[in-house]
Amino acid sequence: MKIYSLLVLALFISTTILGQKIHHELSMPAPETHYFHVETTLTDFSEEKVVLTMPVWSPGSYLVREFPKNVNLLLAKDENGQALPVQKISKNQWEISKGKAKKVTVNYEVYAFELTVRTSFLDKTHGYLNGTSVFTFPEGYMDLGGQLTVIPHSSFKKITTPLAVAKDGISADNNAQTFVFKDFDELADAPIEIGNQETFSFDAAGTKHHVAIYGPGNHDVERLKIDMAKIVEATTAVFGGKNPNKEYWFIIHNTDTRGGGLEHMNSTTLNVNRWTYSPENYMSFLSLVAHEYFHIWNVKRLRPAALVEYDYSNENYTDMLWIMEGFTSYYDELILRRAGFYSEQDYLNIFENTINYVEGQPGNKVQPVAHASFDAWIKAYRPNENSRNTTISYYSKGGLIAHVIDAMIIEKYKGKKSLDEFMQLLYKEYYEKNNTGMTPLQFKTSLEEFLDRNLDDFFAKYIYGTETIPFAEYFDALGLEIQHTELQSAGLGITTKMENGKLIVTSVMSGGAAEKAGLSPNDEIIAFNGFRVDQADLSKFLAMLNHDTEFNLIISRGKQLMSLDATMGILKNNNYMFTYKGNKLGTYWLREKKK
């Protein structure tokens, strides 16, 4: 805390004595064009040349998305209205030759027509933006705070954002509001919803929560207030009952697709199907709420050391996403159990399904979970037809490792401590004390000290290796019997889809019968043993075949007809089955929060 305080003091001196000021103005005069208009004013910068930088990615979503691709011509002028030379010096940087000008005004437009949690969108129904995809910062001044004025279109009456409103920052004339940000990180971390969204609030864990919902759906506001509050309380309890935010914002987009969520320091954006609130889908929505809310602590505050300070122009590599996202994935379901939404059996069914999913992925034996994290930038967010054969999700595999570590801790402390207490320790040590983040070695060392055991073998096999975790050994002490069998069945080893009336191969299993026969992704299967087939027909024919049965396929590859002779292969599937007998430790593990 001492180091951080000195840094804040230094920044205060630099931004007050030297006097540089930055002010962004965001407007949307014609939302049907999908363009946000940005006017950035820089005052009292002494340099003769100023470089403006726009991020190329959004923290929490590990892919370079090249946000500057949506920026039209950037122009600059001085305080007298005279044009200033602007030169593009990299894909995301503009150099302004300002000379002795005391005030520089920069104007540009941003095309916004991608409604995801990490991008920006504008049409006649609403506007939504993430600061990373719209705003710039002067190079060397990322720590400089400033103001943002949002001028809504005349048809938009509400602005929802976690940014603090400036004193006298609300205009009655055009619904404009002026907000303040302490540095670019805060501006980048504050999503903004502009429109006529439905809004409501509730209190939980000593924090005021605001919810803004865009789009029609089958949601029940009064039920959401109760259920979201339960999740907030159960999540906050994991970290000792202390919530770091006085206020928190949920921005929810009801759409025709399901898009997930993105975490921020004191807010989140959730893109969900507008009918997700129906009984058969409601738990997935609450799980998403729990996941993003858990990130308040794990990711936004407790971070890998490599992500404490963002480089917005380049990839930020870490092999710890299996902790940040995997542990969060573990807790998003456990929190629903503790909050009373799942029965014991519901929760165990989810756990069983997760093991079978992960162990059923060929890539689980190819890619270590630590590598899956490091390569998120080039693999996880850029999947292709071969990804199933070569990669594993650090969400699901990391979640399984969190299960195991929790079981180890519960057994070690005889039901007096769990993974909760270890997360509290990490949070205090690597965020509250000095906010340095943690390295992979520090995480491992902290866990070894907490468990009082050497974990070299565990990390070598299951984190940096691809050996199968002996789940039965870890969960026996908690009264959970896990049986593993290998199921075998005849199979071709492909996935397919119908596209414009054509049966298309979407993926081919590595080492399977289809690969041996020469089938490739994107092939069109026309006929089986001389009979034209669609997806249903092919499934019926293959289901009648035994292992080693020979057959013929007619395919089209690049409009060239080909005949392939194939032999039915064997598909091997791992199958894990649970029998919960229960005991004192298991009861502690699966505990429901006391009412």
Side-chain angles (χ1 to χ4, degrees):
M1 290 297 291
K2 184 176 181 180
I3 295 175
Y4 181 72
S5 297
L6 289 175
L7 177 60
V8 171
L9 179 60
L11 291 175
F12 176 78
I13 292 172
S14 67
T15 58
T16 54
I17 293 179
L18 297 180
Q20 296 93 345
K21 295 179 182 179
I22 184 167
H23 182 274
H24 300 293
E25 182 180 281
L26 179 80
S27 61
M28 53 222 74
E32 68 277 8
T33 66
H34 316 301
Y35 278 106
F36 283 117
H37 292 221
V38 179
E39 181 170 285
T40 297
T41 302
L42 306 175
T43 305
D44 292 333
F45 282 74
S46 59
E47 299 89 341
E48 292 195 356
K49 292 184 178 181
V50 174
V51 174
L52 293 183
T53 299
M54 175 175 278
V56 299
W57 68 287
S58 287
S61 183
Y62 306 101
L63 176 68
V64 170
R65 298 182 184 277
E66 310 294 17
F67 294 130
K69 69 183 178 183
N70 294 317
V71 175
N72 285 352
L73 182 65
L74 185 148
L75 301 172
K77 59 185 177 182
D78 64 15
E79 59 266 39
N80 298 314
Q82 296 297 310
L84 296 172
V86 179
Q87 182 178 358
K88 192 81 179 286
I89 60 174
S90 73
K91 66 180 182 180
N92 67 320
Q93 291 185 313
W94 296 261
E95 183 182 76
I96 302 170
S97 298
K98 58 175 281 296
K100 302 299 182 180
K102 297 294 184 182
K103 181 179 178 181
V104 176
T105 302
V106 178
N107 291 93
Y108 58 92
E109 298 173 342
V110 180
Y111 183 72
F113 199 57
E114 185 179 0
L115 185 57
T116 72
V117 297
R118 60 228 164 217
T119 53
S120 297
F121 181 89
L122 178 65
D123 70 2
K124 295 192 75 170
T125 66
H126 78 132
Y128 171 76
L129 65 109
N130 285 282
T132 48
S133 62
V134 172
F135 300 116
T136 63
F137 62 89
E139 193 65 26
Y141 289 90
M142 203 167 72
D143 294 320
L144 178 63
Q147 293 189 334
L148 164 66
T149 297
V150 178
I151 305 174
H153 184 261
S154 59
S155 63
F156 299 156
K157 307 303 180 185
K158 294 181 181 179
I159 302 172
T160 300
T161 180
L163 290 172
V165 178
K167 185 178 180 180
D168 300 324
I170 300 178
S171 171
D173 296 332
N174 54 9
N175 290 323
Q177 293 187 40
T178 298
F179 305 91
V180 294
F181 54 92
K182 64 181 180 181
D183 52 30
F184 185 77
D185 281 340
E186 184 176 38
L187 180 62
D189 194 50
I192 307 173
E193 176 71 23
I194 310 156
N196 301 299
Q197 56 271 25
E198 181 178 10
T199 58
F200 63 90
S201 299
F202 64 90
D203 295 313
T207 299
K208 173 71 73 174
H209 293 78
H210 308 279
V211 182
I213 301 181
Y214 161 78
N218 61 340
H219 55 279
D220 181 333
V221 169
E222 294 307 312
R223 185 181 182 187
L224 287 178
K225 288 180 181 179
I226 295 171
D227 292 347
M228 293 173 76
K230 289 180 181 179
I231 291 172
V232 168
E233 296 282 359
T235 308
T236 305
V238 173
F239 289 90
K242 182 181 179 182
N243 198 302
N245 291 314
K246 293 183 179 180
E247 291 187 90
Y248 188 87
W249 284 259
F250 290 95
I251 297 174
I252 302 174
H253 293 147
N254 288 335
T255 69
D256 293 323
T257 59
R258 182 180 182 276
L262 186 65
E263 68 275 6
H264 301 283
M265 204 75 161
N266 56 354
S267 66
T268 186
T269 301
L270 311 177
N271 275 20
V272 299
N273 183 280
R274 67 179 77 257
W275 313 122
T276 194
Y277 311 95
S278 58
E280 64 271 21
N281 298 315
Y282 190 52
M283 288 303 106
S284 66
F285 169 75
L286 294 182
S287 178
L288 179 62
V289 171
H291 186 99
E292 301 307 329
Y293 202 79
F294 194 84
H295 277 320
I296 290 175
W297 293 268
N298 192 40
V299 168
K300 294 311 298 183
R301 288 171 173 83
L302 173 63
R303 303 183 188 180
L307 294 178
V308 171
E309 294 184 2
Y310 298 125
D311 178 354
Y312 289 104
S313 295
N314 299 286
E315 294 91 340
N316 291 218
Y317 290 102
T318 174
D319 62 5
M320 299 180 73
L321 295 182
W322 64 272
I323 302 167
M324 314 318 296
E325 291 293 352
F327 280 40
T328 303
S329 295
Y330 171 56
Y331 270 106
D332 64 34
E333 301 294 356
L334 187 61
I335 285 166
L336 264 61
R337 165 60 194 153
R338 291 183 182 176
F341 295 105
Y342 289 151
S343 67
E344 281 187 353
Q345 193 57 52
D346 290 335
Y347 180 76
L348 290 172
N349 289 343
I350 292 170
F351 181 19
E352 182 181 82
N353 290 337
T354 302
I355 289 182
N356 282 307
Y357 167 74
V358 171
E359 294 300 322
Q361 298 297 306
N364 186 42
K365 301 305 175 192
V366 176
Q367 185 184 51
V369 70
H371 295 186
S373 168
F374 196 85
D375 286 343
W377 299 88
I378 59 172
K379 292 188 176 183
Y381 281 87
R382 290 175 175 168
N384 61 27
E385 66 281 351
N386 196 43
S387 293
R388 185 172 180 270
N389 291 321
T390 60
T391 65
I392 192 65
S393 166
Y394 50 77
Y395 284 82
S396 52
K397 183 64 176 287
L400 289 185
I401 294 169
H403 272 92
V404 170
I405 292 175
D406 199 6
M408 293 164 65
I409 294 173
I410 290 171
E411 181 180 8
K412 162 71 177 176
Y413 289 98
K414 298 179 171 55
K416 300 296 182 182
K417 291 183 180 181
S418 67
L419 185 58
D420 293 13
E421 282 72 23
F422 181 60
M423 295 302 293
Q424 292 171 28
L425 180 150
L426 295 177
Y427 185 77
K428 181 177 181 180
E429 185 67 26
Y430 299 110
Y431 173 69
E432 289 188 329
K433 280 189 177 181
N434 50 32
N435 194 25
T436 60
M438 57 183 174
T439 66
L441 179 59
Q442 286 172 326
F443 174 84
K444 176 176 176 290
T445 300
S446 296
L447 185 57
E448 288 177 326
E449 292 175 353
F450 196 76
L451 288 169
D452 192 25
R453 61 183 288 187
N454 183 283
L455 293 174
D456 288 349
D457 192 55
F458 183 91
F459 274 72
K461 288 181 177 179
Y462 312 131
I463 309 302
Y464 294 96
T466 59
E467 293 191 31
T468 301
I469 299 172
F471 296 104
E473 295 178 15
Y474 288 108
F475 285 90
D476 182 65
L478 277 61
L480 179 61
E481 181 181 293
I482 301 178
Q483 294 180 319
H484 171 242
T485 57
E486 185 177 79
L487 303 180
Q488 295 187 359
S489 61
L492 186 56
I494 59 171
T495 60
T496 61
K497 67 177 180 179
M498 291 299 297
E499 186 177 89
N500 298 323
K502 298 179 179 180
L503 177 55
I504 305 298
V505 177
T506 54
S507 69
V508 177
M509 182 180 295
S510 180
E515 186 180 69
K516 293 176 182 178
L519 269 177
S520 297
N522 302 319
D523 284 348
E524 177 194 356
I525 299 178
I526 298 174
F528 171 92
N529 281 348
F531 291 90
R532 180 177 289 276
V533 292
D534 59 16
Q535 192 171 39
D537 294 331
L538 181 65
S539 295
K540 291 177 183 178
F541 281 131
L542 293 177
M544 292 187 283
L545 302 183
N546 295 319
H547 170 237
D548 283 340
T549 303
E550 297 179 351
F551 58 94
N552 176 266
L553 295 175
I554 300 298
I555 69 166
S556 173
R557 179 179 298 166
K559 296 186 178 181
Q560 181 180 359
L561 294 179
M562 303 174 69
S563 175
L564 298 180
D565 292 322
T567 302
M568 203 64 166
I570 292 180
L571 299 179
K572 297 180 180 180
N573 296 301
N574 288 299
N575 184 53
Y576 289 81
M577 295 183 64
F578 287 5
T579 302
Y580 182 58
K581 299 178 179 179
N583 60 23
K584 181 179 178 181
L585 297 186
T587 299
Y588 174 72
W589 169 43
L590 299 174
R591 64 192 180 277
E592 185 175 346
K593 180 185 175 184
K594 294 181 180 179
K595 300 294 189 292

